[in-house]
Amino acid sequence: MCNSNLNTPNFLDKVRTDKGIDDLKDFFQQLSKKDLKKSINFINDENLQFATLFILREDIEKNNLIDSLLQRNKTALAIIKEILTDKKSNLASKQVSFDHVQIIHSTLKWILETGFRDDGMNDEYDQVLDITSILLTKVYMDKTVLPIIADMIFDRHKRGYLIHDLVWAFFQARDPQSLMIIGERLLSSNEEDVKTACRLLNFIPNIDKDKNNTREDKYSIFLGWIKENSPFLKFTGESFQQTTNPRPYRVVLEGKYLCKNICSDTGKASCSPSQEEYKMLNEFKKLDKDTKILLSNFSLKIHHNNIKLWNVWRHYSLEDQIKIARIGGIQ
């Protein structure tokens, strides 16, 4: 998450971090009276961080500086205004030009990448970061910001603040591989991080069942489950707004049984089943859940170990498939 904006601090950023918000506002007000051009140059510095622009937005407007701002800063102020006045739909309007959409996207990334370290400044600031995260993952389908969103989730939870919107934004990426970002927190030396990771990954069987499991044990369970099931996960859309224990992904047992990768959005196989496979699925769907799990687990295992043997097994009757799966293999 290294960003050039963080390597060469802007002078206004330095005033904010060294002396605080009130001193920053006082400094900018005095500078605008004495040397308006210089204050504009400071604001338009490409290394400016979003938190500083957010704090000074009222002074900028009061001094009629908006027309003198860089396009990025103008767009950021418009985004702030629309979010805080609950007009977020305008930000993703399909009626705007491609260039405008790109400008909004790059500005949203700048907001998050340079602003996330100041999460917790106040409720309005956090609201802007939350909605920015949602727009980036849901509207712009930008997965590059997921590590930042994860950092915010874990840091905010440790401070005792709500994480519901950030978690929703993270899972809106609809990418099973993104679970690795959360899973790595199972190895954290901070116990709160481990608890939060277990809560977010509660849909993985046994991830937190044994309280005596070490961090390494939990991570091993997670890795084994992801390796086995990630090709067969469907995004459910469940969130903390709906339930205290959301399960954002579920295993599509039909896909696992046929060993066909699943599209996480639709829950359907990436390539259509053959007529023979349709018949297999129709029989499979009539089974109880435990038998489905038994068959799908066995099917994937034998498919990985011996594809020729799997081709023999899958042509058996469903009754014989179940018998073979129960004894653990073809004798």
Side-chain angles (χ1 to χ4, degrees):
M1 279 172 280
C2 181
N3 190 289
S4 60
N5 290 344
L6 303 178
N7 295 334
T8 350
N10 168 277
F11 185 78
L12 294 176
D13 293 327
K14 188 165 174 50
V15 173
R16 173 174 59 84
T17 56
D18 290 351
K19 298 187 176 181
I21 291 174
D22 290 340
D23 280 2
L24 168 64
K25 296 184 80 168
D26 288 342
F27 173 80
F28 188 75
Q29 287 171 6
Q30 295 303 318
L31 181 63
S32 297
K33 291 176 183 176
K34 294 177 182 177
D35 192 339
L36 191 60
K37 184 177 179 182
K38 194 168 187 178
S39 66
I40 293 171
N41 288 339
F42 277 151
I43 279 288
N44 281 336
D45 182 354
E46 64 176 13
N47 292 320
L48 182 79
Q49 295 178 19
F50 171 68
T52 298
L53 182 70
F54 182 88
I55 291 165
L56 296 177
R57 68 192 190 281
E58 291 179 1
D59 295 297
I60 291 169
E61 192 168 347
K62 189 187 302 179
N63 290 312
N64 299 314
L65 301 182
I66 292 180
D67 289 342
S68 302
L69 296 181
L70 290 174
Q71 184 62 58
R72 178 199 69 189
N73 292 342
K74 285 182 185 177
T75 305
L77 291 178
I79 287 171
I80 294 169
K81 195 168 187 177
E82 293 200 12
I83 288 175
L84 297 182
T85 55
D86 201 27
K87 295 179 181 177
K88 297 174 285 296
S89 60
N90 295 343
L91 296 175
S93 171
K94 295 180 180 178
Q95 307 303 317
V96 297
S97 69
F98 176 79
D99 285 345
H100 186 60
V101 169
Q102 292 300 104
I103 289 168
I104 293 175
H105 182 199
S106 63
T107 303
L108 288 168
K109 284 196 75 169
W110 172 75
I111 288 172
L112 194 64
E113 289 176 345
T114 71
F116 81 98
R117 284 185 173 85
D118 294 285
D119 183 44
M121 181 193 301
N122 58 47
D123 289 345
E124 287 189 335
Y125 187 79
D126 290 356
Q127 184 184 356
V128 170
L129 291 184
D130 287 357
I131 300 302
T132 293
S133 300
I134 290 169
L135 289 168
L136 283 168
T137 57
K138 184 172 176 60
V139 177
Y140 289 96
M141 296 175 285
D142 189 337
K143 299 176 186 178
T144 65
V145 297
L146 291 178
I148 292 177
I149 297 174
D151 279 349
M152 292 169 63
I153 289 169
F154 285 87
D155 290 344
R156 192 181 286 185
H157 191 259
K158 278 182 283 198
R159 299 197 311 269
Y161 291 98
L162 288 176
I163 59 173
H164 293 16
D165 287 339
L166 286 177
V167 171
W168 191 77
F170 184 91
F171 285 121
Q172 281 300 313
R174 304 179 182 216
D175 179 9
Q177 290 306 312
S178 69
L179 295 174
M180 291 296 299
I181 298 171
I182 295 173
E184 287 168 1
R185 302 289 179 137
L186 294 168
L187 294 172
S188 173
S189 57
N190 186 296
E191 190 59 34
E192 282 304 310
D193 281 351
V194 178
K195 287 180 181 178
T196 303
C198 285
R199 187 182 178 196
L200 296 175
L201 299 171
N202 74 87
F203 54 91
I204 296 178
N206 303 318
I207 192 71
D208 199 29
K209 186 176 181 180
D210 188 344
K211 300 301 179 181
N212 294 318
N213 277 351
T214 64
R215 296 190 300 271
E216 289 75 15
D217 291 335
K218 295 176 193 294
Y219 187 62
S220 179
I221 290 170
F222 164 76
L223 280 184
W225 189 88
I226 281 290
K227 182 179 179 182
E228 178 178 326
N229 294 290
S230 61
F232 314 111
L233 294 181
K234 180 186 185 302
F235 178 69
T236 66
E238 281 189 19
S239 68
F240 281 116
Q241 285 89 340
Q242 300 166 314
T243 173
T244 53
N245 290 302
R247 295 172 175 264
Y249 290 97
R250 70 171 178 84
V251 179
V252 178
L253 296 176
E254 290 82 359
K256 194 172 181 181
Y257 172 58
L258 292 182
C259 300
K260 285 183 175 290
N261 287 9
I262 292 299
C263 172
S264 61
D265 268 347
T266 65
K268 296 181 180 179
S270 302
C271 56
S272 299
S274 65
Q275 285 188 339
E276 180 187 7
E277 288 170 333
Y278 268 122
K279 291 179 182 177
M280 292 171 63
L281 283 180
N282 286 334
E283 293 299 311
F284 180 83
K285 288 176 180 177
K286 297 174 185 176
L287 301 173
D288 62 86
K289 186 176 180 180
D290 287 342
T291 307
K292 285 180 181 178
I293 291 172
L294 170 75
L295 269 187
S296 61
N297 286 345
F298 180 79
S299 179
L300 186 65
K301 180 180 177 182
I302 194 173
H303 184 273
H304 282 171
N305 292 340
N306 191 325
I307 189 84
K308 290 182 179 178
L309 203 56
W310 178 77
N311 273 313
V312 172
W313 172 81
R314 77 188 190 116
H315 285 99
Y316 287 165
S317 68
L318 194 63
E319 184 180 350
D320 286 340
Q321 285 183 9
I322 294 170
K323 287 178 182 177
I324 292 169
R326 281 181 174 150
I327 63 174
I330 299 175
Q331 303 298 313

